[in-house]
Amino acid sequence: MAAHLKKRVYEEFSKVVQLPQEEAPAKKLRLTKPSKSAALHIDLCKASNPTDALQYLLHFARSSVEAESVEGVVRILLEHYYKEQDNSVRLKIASLIGLLSKTQNFNPETILDDTLNTFNTEKSHQILAQLLDTLLVIGTQLPESPTVRHRLIEVACKHLSDTYFGVRNKCLQLLGCLCNVDTPLNKDGQGLVPAVIGGGAPGVSGGVCVRDAQSVISDYFADQDPRVRTAAIKAMLQLHERGLKIQQTIYDQACRLLCDDYEQVRSAAVQMVWVLSQIYPESIVPIPSSNEQVRLVDDSFGKISHMVSDGSWVVRVQAAKTLGNMLQVSPHFLEQTLDKKLMSDLRRKRTAHERAKELYASGEFSSGRKWADDAPKEKVDTSAVNLIASGACGAFVHGLEDEMYEVRIAAVDALSALAQSSASFAEKCLDFLVDMFNDEIEEVRLQSIHVLRQISINITLREDQLDTVLAVLEDSSRDIREALHELLCFTNVSTKECIQLALLELLKNLTKYPTDRNSVWKCLKFLGCRHPTLVLPLVPELLSTHPYFHTPEPDMDDPAYIAVLVLVFNAAQSCPTMTALFSDHTFRHYTYLRDSLSHLVPPLRLPGRKQAPGVSGIEGSGSVESAQLFLQQSLSRISTIHNLQDPGAQDLLNFTIRDLQRLGELQTELAGAADFSATYLRCQLLLTKALQEKLWTMAVPLCLKDNAMATAAAKQMLEETYKLEFLYSGLENRQVATIHHVRLQAKALQLVLTARTRRGVEPLISVCEKFLQEVESFQRLFVVELPHLQESFVGKLLDVSPRLSACKPGELVKILQTTLRQSGFLNLQLPKQVQRASATIIEPTGESDNPLRFTSGLVVALDIDATLEHVQDPHNTVKVQVLYPDGQSHVIQPKPGDFRSPGPHRHRLITQVYLSHSAWTEACQIEVRLLLAYSSSRLCKAAWSDSSTESLQPAEGATEGTIPFGKPVKVFIMPKPARR
Amino acid sequence: MPEIKVTPLGAGQDVGRSCILVSIGGKNVMLDCGMHMGFNDDRRFPDFSYITQQGRLTEFLDCVIISHFHLDHCGALPYMSEMVGYDGPIYMTHPTKAICPILLEDFRKITVDKKGETNFFTSQMIKDCMKKVVPLNLHQTVQVDDELEIKAYYAGHVLGAAMVQIKVGSESVVYTGDYNMTPDRHLGAAWIDKCRPDILISESTYATTIRDSKRCRERDFLKKVHETVERGGKVLIPVFALGRAQELCILLETFWERMNMKAPIYFSTGLTEKANHYYKLFITWTNQKIRKTFVQRNMFEFKHIKAFDRSYADNPGPMVVFATPGMLHAGQSLQIFKKWAGNEKNMIIMPGYCVQGTIGHKILNGQKKLEMENRQTLEVKLQVEYMSFSAHADAKGIMQLIRMAEPRNMLLVHGEAKKMEFLKDKIEQEFSINCFMPANGETTTVITNPSVPVDISLNLLKREMALGGPLPDPKKPRTMHGTLIMKDNSLRLVSPEQALKELGLNEHQLRFTCRVQLQDSHSDSDTLIRIYTHLKSLLKGYTIQHLPDGTVMVESIVIKVSSSAEEPNTKVLLLSWSYQDEDLGSFLSTLLKKGLPSGLSSI
């Protein structure tokens, strides 16, 4: 053994000695670029004391290193590593090696041996930990190589018995990240085993048994340091994430860790128990101190529920969140989480919820006016009362009453997840969710309203519950009210009294907050749609009709009256008998509203009334299909055009564009697709027109700057392509390729135009080069799509591509010109669902004539409220632009918190923009609009350095810009000069 | 054996007059020093003569700790410190220290000025008493003296309420005072770490109650107030000046804010204004919401709640009035009640318990006609509602606290005996720990098993490490050889050699010798060889040597053979071993006493 060791030591020494020779590749590099490694070497040599060296290294860490020179740099670093006495410098070197091995395109295997060698001499625990961290980086960079992994695991196992917690932590992390998923840790049963079991004492285990990673890691569940225990659990979780099946034996250990003294251990243990419950949900575990057995998922559910009343809120949040992910739990256990047995002086008491329910059942309205109304009734059997909630008892009752709102929100979310999967549970948790509407923190209230909306498909609200829900309508927060309206849209109620109650409260809301008009109407629309039969008996009362007498005609402009009509008309849609109850003016009002508020009032089949041709009642769902068909037909008609130079092609395009635009207006479902196609066709049309200009037939010297039309067309085409690419969601790769193709055409056109107008070859060269680069990148990006593009511009261009790169600019221009003219029309394939991003600014309305006055030089805040539809990732892309009359414009990026998402694909931006300007003599309008920012390529992040000091450069050729979308709004402002 | 003694002077199987004496590790600590609301005679205060018959208490008590400012926890403090005599430190948290004198002064005024009692403590005494107070911060460990240390935990009962851990060496006691495990609108929930005290002294007011969620109560309360105000009625809420009143204020204030309501809310002034001031100051002691938002706006700076003036009661239109006192037995709340009782649109909400005999109690029991002074009768037409807003932990909360702290013993105070009995059974059953519930004056003794820290010399430890074995496991005991030196009030474990050197003693060798008679026909030397082979075959893993001078050495044990001249067959074996090898030596002697097996060859 000793001899072997000695030999290894010599080997290492010889390696270290070899270092200068191996610097050869680094030297070679020095010829091409001034190498980093050389500079570093010199710097480090210059360093007289550790502090200086550290400074150099810190400085060095900020610059990036090319993949080719990494190896050389690492060697130099290691050379200094062995020379260095100071721990901090060695530590920095170790961490630098880790950073360096993250460099892209660098294979860290080359430095693995050298890094491993450092372990033999290192004494400092901190540095060992850092070195292990470096190994972790190397290991994660080389996930495929089994030998590397084997060696790393060996090192990790060797250091598992270190006395310093950090080293053990890193070893466990390494094991978790690298241990083989399918095979046991070591096949031959040597190497790691003695080190692991014996804790450094040789010969205890004899190294015979084969142990797998799990049992090795699980040994450290009982480590004396809580940080190591946490790391062990995390490593186990990591194994699970990598697809290793964790053994069920771990379950007991994990459960024991739930009562650990340290919160981070408990928190990790909760995760561990959850993971196991997902792997073995159906296996049976015994209940201690009894003969009974339960399913494992139920057992773990009980245990995690218990953690909801833990002492540390971090653990409580974790536990509450986890509960929401345990959908396989039996309903019996699930319902226990809402269980609470009340007791007063040892007598059973009913909960307020139960009382409310009983009162409702007995038909009596809540009296609650006596003291001792809730007086306890029957005696409780003292031995049967279980004060410590065993298992899942009342977990959510606790969680929803928790001190920290983080826990409450987590509990609400968990309730939502569980309720969505179980209707009976949804019914039960209703009371609790409704209670949460009264929480002190708005976020929690809002969240619980949202959750109730999500589960409301499963439930029907009782009258008393609805009452509580509706009480929130008076909330002063607009978010809460709107969320509640949204909720009411989806609510099922049981009786006509409920409808009446809801209507009453909504009208009250309308008078108190008139700005809620739209939201309230929309809410009533859905309420009417959902409950036609409940609305029917209320109609005479609602419309205040009388069998004998004529009642006065209500005011048509009264928002409350409109609200009632919206409810009634929507109910009448599926209840044909209702129209008989209408009085004459109701019909008149119907036709008026049907026109003015067509999105709220559905088409009705009215007896004896002539129907407007456009709004025949039978339109229904068939119309969408027919519109779809029409869209397809128009597109296929277009596809008959082979060459845009054909006679009549332009007319066809013109007509089709017109058709599509009209279709988009009529059929909102297809607006996105229609607009998309129309825009695309317009691009083609522009191209055709540009190519038919006279200037092409003119001789080059003759055509001066007379080609304004063509230039404008090229420019517009470019703009349109960006709109096509970024304004529409739901595009597939195919469409993106098509769009890029149009862009290439536009660019080619631009190139040809420049060539014709400008004299001299010099400026052309760079433009041509750029264009060729773009063609190349197009080819790279859309390899898959190329077969579809055979006949098109690019297809033809690529056919002659070998010639392209070699030829002179003049030639290139000629080729481009002919290909542009000859290339066929590229057919547009519509994806299934195209949606156009849109934005509407609700506030400011732009109608106010009162200017916003403020002192010049100071700022004024302008409230902006806008809805965005079908915008992906609005937090990053949506910006507000303010345009002053003098042409100045500001772009403001709203805070991420200003965006709310009230529904799928919908966002709401409520923000403030700050305006300021120097003094004006009179009030003037500024324009506020929303912009959609885009950038054409994903950012390539430099992998080797995470430090934010480096500015992230977008990759070459990326274009960034903004597309205005939505209508701009004008606001009067009036900056006044400051008074002295 | 070391023990901890706990003697309640008040609050033992009773509510009120909390005062508990604890003797721990030779230190005496008084926990709380309250008065009893139910008595007006000597029983009002704890019986301090239990501590000493005459003279001052200073020499008998190491410190006094007050958990919170309620009078049943601090009402007897000036009496004890100034009239009985105590000059040592009194510990309380900052808010308690600020609010306590206000309440004591109020209490003094009522007893002396209104009831005309004499021989009561004076304002000056309250001031003097407060000068002895040392303030505590949450989770701050305060050294009372070299050995005794105390630490406060959040209790959530009222502003500044604390639980205290008293620790001497490794022995510790936790006293909860009054606490609340469910957070409310202005305070958070009680919290304690896993400190594993020897005794947990807990209140048990609601030992037999499990309460409904506070959300239902709050919602009911708000709904009732809201409905009445919408109807145009007036709402009267009788409250005590501190504690619940603030919670209800916050509740209504935020509700008004949320619902954009306009009806005025009034608070009858008095000590409340002063107290509210302190609530504004001690933001760190409130709950998460108030703590997080106070930068924008301090929740105790009420926007909707204004000071009440007597004349406002006759104003038309809806209003909400908080008025003292809470049981409607006198003062402003009663005056307003008389004015409003006749209108059925109005409402009165009783937020707490009412003592028998008070008007509050009568109307809660549904009495519709009240006899007032001057033989007038008052017809009660307004609605009467009862809302329980109490801030004590219920049975589940108490169990939860036990689970958090993991005590070795439980002791219940501040509750009724019958109810405690139930809880005691439950605790013993569920946690299998002892639970006590001493009456006033009854002493509970708990024997503790304190760990005694000993310094071990590094050399000794390293030597043990070098002997091998796995890394030390902190959870398993391990034996080792060493010498315990008790000197200068410190304990040290050192190696024997070092101990000898330090103490200047010579080492004495202690050897045991033993003779074993053996029947053996062989010659002496043969017998020795036979013994050698016998032992060799038995004791594997030991070094056994046959020395040329006619002895066998097993480790350090010497075996010699001699035979007497008269009986050559009777061999006498001489065994000699040092005391370190006692185990092996005695084993060998018993082994050899059995004789040698016959089949043993001599070679």
Side-chain angles (χ1 to χ4, degrees), chain A residues 867-905:
Chain A
T867 48
L868 314 167
E869 300 211 27
H870 304 292
V871 180
Q872 287 158 337
D873 191 20
H875 310 255
N876 295 325
T877 53
V878 174
K879 294 180 165 69
V880 183
Q881 188 186 34
V882 181
L883 219 74
Y884 293 95
D886 60 352
Q888 247 188 60
S889 87
H890 288 173
V891 176
I892 297 130
Q893 166 102 50
K895 292 192 291 266
D898 292 340
F899 292 95
R900 290 138 220 232
S901 147
H905 305 301

Side-chain angles (χ1 to χ4, degrees), chain A residues 161 163 198 201 224 259-261 266 306 309-312 340-346 351-353 355 368-369 371 382-383 385-389 398 400-406 408 435-441 445 467-468 471-472 474-477 508 512-513, chain B residues 182-185 188-189 191 194 196 207-216 218-219 222-224 226 230 255 257-261 287-289 291-292 361 364-365 383-386 395-396 399-400 403-404 419 422-423 426 429-431 469-472 474-475:
Chain A
S161 54
T163 48
Q224 55 172 328
C259 339
D260 199 275
D261 281 9
R266 292 200 300 268
H306 209 54
S309 48
D310 191 87
S312 147
K340 42 172 189 179
K341 296 229 162 32
L342 299 195
M343 181 174 79
S344 170
D345 274 357
L346 286 181
T351 65
H353 291 155
R355 270 183 281 139
R369 271 161 213 169
W371 184 42
T382 40
S383 60
V385 179
N386 201 357
L387 281 184
I388 286 216
H398 276 285
L400 293 176
E401 275 185 34
D402 199 274
E403 181 183 358
M404 312 297 286
Y405 84 95
E406 290 91 340
R408 296 200 296 268
D435 277 352
M436 294 306 284
F437 286 12
N438 208 8
D439 195 90
E440 54 192 340
I441 300 218
R445 296 200 294 269
D467 198 28
T468 333
V472 188
E474 285 186 49
D475 203 297
S476 60
S477 152
K508 220 195 255 176
K512 202 162 177 180
Y513 306 99
Chain B
T182 44
D184 62 32
R185 288 282 166 158
W191 181 85
K194 244 180 222 189
R196 301 194 173 91
T208 55
T209 301
I210 302 174
R211 270 180 306 172
D212 200 352
S213 83
K214 56 151 192 167
R215 285 186 194 287
C216 297
E218 283 176 6
R219 202 188 60 208
L222 294 175
K223 200 174 153 193
K224 279 168 187 166
H226 189 188
E230 287 227 314
F255 188 72
E257 187 88 31
R258 259 180 63 198
M259 296 301 181
N260 231 338
M261 310 235 304
N287 71 4
Q288 188 194 21
K289 156 92 177 168
R291 272 194 325 245
K292 288 221 163 139
H361 190 257
L364 278 180
N365 280 329
Q383 298 169 45
V384 180
E385 300 283 354
Y386 175 74
K396 265 199 174 164
M399 299 303 249
Q400 203 185 337
R403 197 157 75 89
M404 271 165 115
K419 298 180 179 178
F422 162 79
L423 191 64
K426 283 287 157 200
Q429 180 188 327
E430 309 229 4
F431 294 99
L471 279 177
K475 286 175 185 163

Side-chain angles (χ1 to χ4, degrees), chain A residues 645 650 685-698 703-714 749 753 756 817 821:
Chain A
Q645 310 298 331
Q650 279 198 33
L685 190 65
L686 279 170
L687 182 67
T688 324
K689 278 190 183 157
L691 288 175
Q692 280 176 347
E693 280 277 282
K694 275 185 205 143
L695 72 122
W696 306 107
T697 49
M698 276 190 264
C703 89
L704 294 167
K705 306 240 159 104
D706 205 31
N707 47 8
M709 191 261 154
T711 325
L749 185 64
L753 285 172
R756 286 182 76 93
Q817 199 174 333
R821 284 169 153 262

Side-chain angles (χ1 to χ4, degrees), chain A residues 226-242:
Chain A
R227 289 165 288 198
V228 180
R229 291 201 292 272
T230 317
I233 303 175
K234 292 245 168 85
M236 197 64 101
L237 289 169
Q238 178 84 32
L239 282 184
H240 167 72
E241 254 165 51
R242 293 176 51 238

Side-chain angles (χ1 to χ4, degrees), chain B residues 185-376:
Chain B
R185 288 282 166 158
H186 73 311
L187 297 175
W191 181 85
I192 197 165
D193 55 15
K194 244 180 222 189
C195 53
R196 301 194 173 91
D198 287 303
I199 307 181
L200 176 66
I201 306 174
S202 169
E203 64 132 334
S204 52
T205 323
Y206 286 138
T208 55
T209 301
I210 302 174
R211 270 180 306 172
D212 200 352
S213 83
K214 56 151 192 167
R215 285 186 194 287
C216 297
R217 270 177 281 150
E218 283 176 6
R219 202 188 60 208
D220 269 8
F221 174 78
L222 294 175
K223 200 174 153 193
K224 279 168 187 166
V225 173
H226 189 188
E227 277 171 2
T228 314
V229 168
E230 287 227 314
R231 260 201 318 264
K234 299 177 168 63
V235 183
L236 172 65
I237 308 171
V239 285
F240 288 102
L242 285 167
R244 285 321 95 203
Q246 275 71 24
E247 185 192 349
L248 294 177
C249 280
I250 292 250
L251 194 58
L252 277 190
E253 166 84 12
T254 46
F255 188 72
W256 250 238
E257 187 88 31
R258 259 180 63 198
M259 296 301 181
N260 231 338
M261 310 235 304
K262 295 284 179 284
I265 310 175
Y266 296 114
F267 206 125
S268 77
T269 48
L271 46 161
T272 325
E273 216 146 280
K274 256 189 235 163
N276 265 350
H277 174 65
Y278 288 116
Y279 273 81
K280 270 180 229 166
L281 279 180
F282 293 109
I283 282 297
T284 45
W285 286 82
T286 55
N287 71 4
Q288 188 194 21
K289 156 92 177 168
I290 299 177
R291 272 194 325 245
K292 288 221 163 139
T293 54
F294 91 101
V295 183
Q296 288 97 38
R297 189 184 145 211
N298 195 325
M299 292 269 278
F300 290 104
E301 305 215 344
F302 300 123
K303 230 189 241 171
H304 300 274
I305 302 177
K306 295 155 209 139
F308 183 71
D309 188 274
R310 207 172 283 262
S311 60
Y312 292 171
D314 297 322
N315 283 1
M319 65 170 90
V320 180
V321 175
F322 289 95
T324 49
M327 294 187 197
L328 218 59
H329 48 79
Q332 204 149 35
S333 59
L334 186 62
Q335 283 171 8
I336 300 171
F337 174 73
K338 280 186 202 159
K339 279 189 182 153
W340 292 1
N343 191 341
E344 63 273 1
K345 270 206 282 185
N346 297 343
M347 177 184 279
I348 184 166
I349 298 180
M350 309 293 299
Y353 176 71
C354 288
V355 169
Q356 214 160 17
T358 58
I359 292 181
H361 190 257
K362 279 179 197 156
I363 57 169
L364 278 180
N365 280 329
Q367 217 166 308
K368 285 292 169 201
K369 285 202 174 163
L370 296 175
E371 286 191 26
M372 310 305 281
E373 60 266 32
N374 311 333
R375 298 215 170 174
Q376 289 171 332

